[in-house]
Amino acid sequence: MGKAVETNLDALRNSRYPGRGIVIGRTPDARHFVQVYWIMGRSPGSRNRVFVADNETVRTRAFDESVLENPSLVVYRPIRVLKACHIVSNGDHTDTICDAIQDGGSFESALNTRTFEPDPPIFTPRIAGIVDLDDSGAAYRIGILKALAGNGESASRQYFSYETAIPGIGHCITTYTDDGDPPPAFFGEPYAVELHDGIETTRDFYWNLLDEANRVSLLVKFIDVASGNTNLRIVNKYRKRKC
């Protein structure tokens, strides 16, 4: 592990509130693509969430539905599969990407129809990534939609394409850089982080890396490069168990 990766992991470890985050890359043995997605929360409403596995996808739902205030930003599918396409995002734009590809569009064209979340004054960025095993042009792609200059009147759309997946390295993008009022949006390029061969090891590594007070749920998905078969692990803070 190089110094840059160590520095990046330290920054994530020391960030009280990076918000929601995505990591995509390849295991050290090169046998699997990896997708990691987590959610964090500061308020009771944003902490009132869990991940629930549903066949090849995952759904978010309220842990206590009696106090659910805004289901449009809480209930969504963070991962979906469409043939060889494995999509991950921090909102209902997972469905936007899936539907667009099914209709002949692309990851980028789908996100061009969306913008940041309608939650002023934060304007939470929408982040997303895709691994398409049939894509000869890129091992994976990552995108972020955020408010231009934080004013909520215009969107900045940034897309990052990785032609080669480096074994043992993933690229991480988060909604925020740290805590704040409002929290500052992510800036710059997705940064390199460490990946592991074991799915449980990866799950535990990133769960333990996140701020204990604000972490809520995390999933890890392994995609077999040769067969396309997938494996999934979830940890939910408010279920206090791993599955």
Side-chain angles (χ1 to χ4, degrees):
M1 185 173 63
K3 281 190 175 181
V5 171
E6 290 183 11
T7 299
N8 295 338
L9 290 172
D10 283 342
L12 184 58
R13 183 181 293 108
N14 294 325
S15 174
R16 184 173 181 271
Y17 191 61
R20 285 167 276 176
I22 291 171
V23 176
I24 302 181
R26 200 156 179 174
T27 54
D29 63 11
R31 293 177 55 194
H32 298 93
F33 281 107
V34 181
Q35 292 178 330
V36 182
Y37 174 61
W38 67 76
I39 55 178
M40 303 182 76
R42 299 184 299 178
S43 68
S46 62
R47 290 176 176 176
N48 182 35
R49 295 174 290 178
V50 292
F51 288 156
V52 179
D54 183 9
N55 294 320
E56 285 192 308
T57 188
V58 169
R59 295 182 181 274
T60 62
R61 70 170 178 83
F63 180 66
D64 183 353
E65 296 188 358
S66 68
V67 296
L68 178 62
E69 295 180 356
N70 188 352
S72 67
L73 296 179
V74 173
V75 180
Y76 59 91
R77 290 183 284 191
I79 59 171
R80 287 192 65 181
V81 179
L82 177 65
K83 297 181 180 178
C85 296
H86 299 262
I87 304 158
V88 56
S89 93
N90 71 322
D92 64 5
H93 48 297
T94 313
D95 296 332
T96 303
I97 298 166
C98 189
D99 293 344
I101 293 173
Q102 195 164 29
D103 291 338
S106 67
F107 176 75
E108 292 84 357
S109 69
L111 290 175
N112 283 341
T113 68
R114 301 299 301 270
T115 185
F116 42 83
E117 292 185 359
D119 59 344
I122 298 176
F123 300 115
T124 299
R126 294 189 190 271
I127 55 177
I130 188 170
V131 172
D132 182 352
L133 297 176
D134 290 339
D135 186 353
S136 60
Y140 52 93
R141 303 174 189 271
I142 294 173
I144 182 169
L145 316 178
K146 58 184 180 179
L148 185 62
N151 62 18
E153 295 181 1
S154 183
S156 168
R157 296 179 170 85
Q158 297 172 284
Y159 303 115
F160 305 91
S161 178
Y162 299 87
E163 294 183 358
T164 302
I166 302 172
I169 296 294
H171 285 92
C172 177
I173 192 167
T174 57
T175 51
Y176 315 124
T177 57
D178 207 340
D179 205 357
D181 189 18
F186 182 91
F187 66 90
E189 297 184 10
Y191 52 83
V193 292
E194 179 183 357
L195 290 177
H196 304 272
D197 286 326
I199 190 168
E200 286 87 4
T201 302
T202 305
R203 176 200 61 197
D204 294 344
F205 178 81
Y206 280 96
W207 182 249
N208 292 328
L209 199 68
L210 299 175
D211 182 83
E212 185 176 1
N214 290 320
R215 65 190 183 190
V216 174
S217 294
L218 179 143
L219 67 85
V220 178
K221 178 178 174 180
F222 271 31
I223 307 159
D224 188 277
V225 175
S227 68
N229 293 334
T230 62
N231 204 352
L232 181 70
R233 294 292 185 275
I234 290 172
V235 55
N236 288 312
K237 181 174 184 177
Y238 293 107
R239 286 187 170 184
K240 296 182 180 179
R241 68 178 178 86
K242 298 171 183 177
C243 59

